[in-house]
Amino acid sequence: MPGPDPGDIPDPRVIELYKMAVEMADRISARRGTANAFFLTVQTTLISVVGLSTPTLKQAPWWITLAVCLAGVTLSASWWLQLRSYRDLNGAKFRVINSIEENLPVKIFSQEWEYLKADPVPSWRKRYAELGAVERAVPTVFAMIYILLLLGRLFR
C-alpha cells in the first residue's frame, strides 16, 4: 500500500498528537535514566559498605550478611523489572508513533530504526545493540556480586 501523497497536508490534530507521543516517549527515556542513576548509586553504596566492612562482617552473625545480600539481590531484581517495564512502555509508545507516521510524509522514527537494523556495526558486532539489552545486564551483574559475597561469607 503506497504512503500518503507528499502534497497532502496532515491533519493538525494528528500532528499535535504525534508531537505529544514523541514528547511522552522522551520523558519515559529520561525517567529511565533517572531511575538507573538512583539504582546505580544505591547499589554502589551498598557494595561499598559491604566491602569496607568486611572485617566487621567476618565477626558478625551470618544472617547480617544474608540480609545485606538479599537486599542487594532484591534491589537488582527490582531494577531489572523496572527497566523491562520502561522498555515495554516505550515499545508501545513507538508502535503508536510508527503507526501515526504511516500517514505522514516523513517517517523519522520508522526510518531511523530501519537504518539501525540494516546497517551492521563495525566488525566486532553484527547488529545494533539496543540500550535496553545492555543496561539490563548491569542489575544482573550486581545480583551475581551479592550472591558471590554471600557464598564467600557462608563458605569461608
Side-chain angles (χ1 to χ4, degrees), residues 2 17 23 36-37 40 48 52 63 65 68 72-73 90 102 106 113 126 131 136 139 144-145 148:
L17 288 171
E23 178 64 29
N36 282 342
L40 186 60
S48 298
L52 292 174
W63 54 267
T65 304
V68 170
V73 169
N90 250 359
E102 289 176 9
V106 178
W113 189 246
K126 292 184 183 188
L131 177 61
R136 280 192 314 273
M144 287 194 253
I145 290 170
L148 289 173

Side-chain angles (χ1 to χ4, degrees), residues 4 22 94 113 120 127 134 142:
V22 169
F94 276 103
W113 189 246
R127 70 174 199 88
V134 174
F142 273 107

Side-chain angles (χ1 to χ4, degrees), residues 16-133:
E16 284 306 310
L17 288 171
Y18 178 78
K19 287 180 187 178
M20 186 172 63
V22 169
E23 178 64 29
M24 288 169 51
D26 187 52
R27 286 182 187 175
I28 294 295
S29 296
R31 282 197 316 225
R32 183 177 74 194
T34 301
N36 282 342
F38 166 77
F39 278 109
L40 186 60
T41 301
V42 171
Q43 292 282 34
T44 304
T45 302
L46 193 54
I47 291 286
S48 298
V49 166
V50 170
L52 292 174
S53 63
T54 298
T56 308
L57 280 178
K58 286 181 182 177
Q59 299 159 356
W62 64 270
W63 54 267
I64 291 177
T65 304
L66 176 66
V68 170
C69 290
L70 282 177
V73 169
T74 301
L75 275 170
S76 297
S78 298
W79 188 4
W80 190 90
L81 289 169
Q82 187 175 43
L83 287 171
R84 185 173 167 192
S85 176
Y86 279 129
R87 178 183 178 189
D88 293 344
L89 183 57
N90 250 359
K93 290 198 179 303
F94 276 103
R95 281 193 295 277
V96 169
I97 289 168
N98 291 343
S99 71
I100 294 171
E101 283 186 351
E102 289 176 9
N103 298 313
L104 296 177
V106 178
K107 296 162 182 45
I108 297 170
F109 291 103
S110 304
Q111 288 177 344
E112 179 181 274
W113 189 246
E114 284 178 30
Y115 293 148
L116 283 173
K117 289 191 314 186
D119 187 23
V121 180
S123 65
W124 62 278
R125 205 173 57 214
K126 292 184 183 188
R127 70 174 199 88
Y128 171 71
E130 295 178 49
L131 177 61

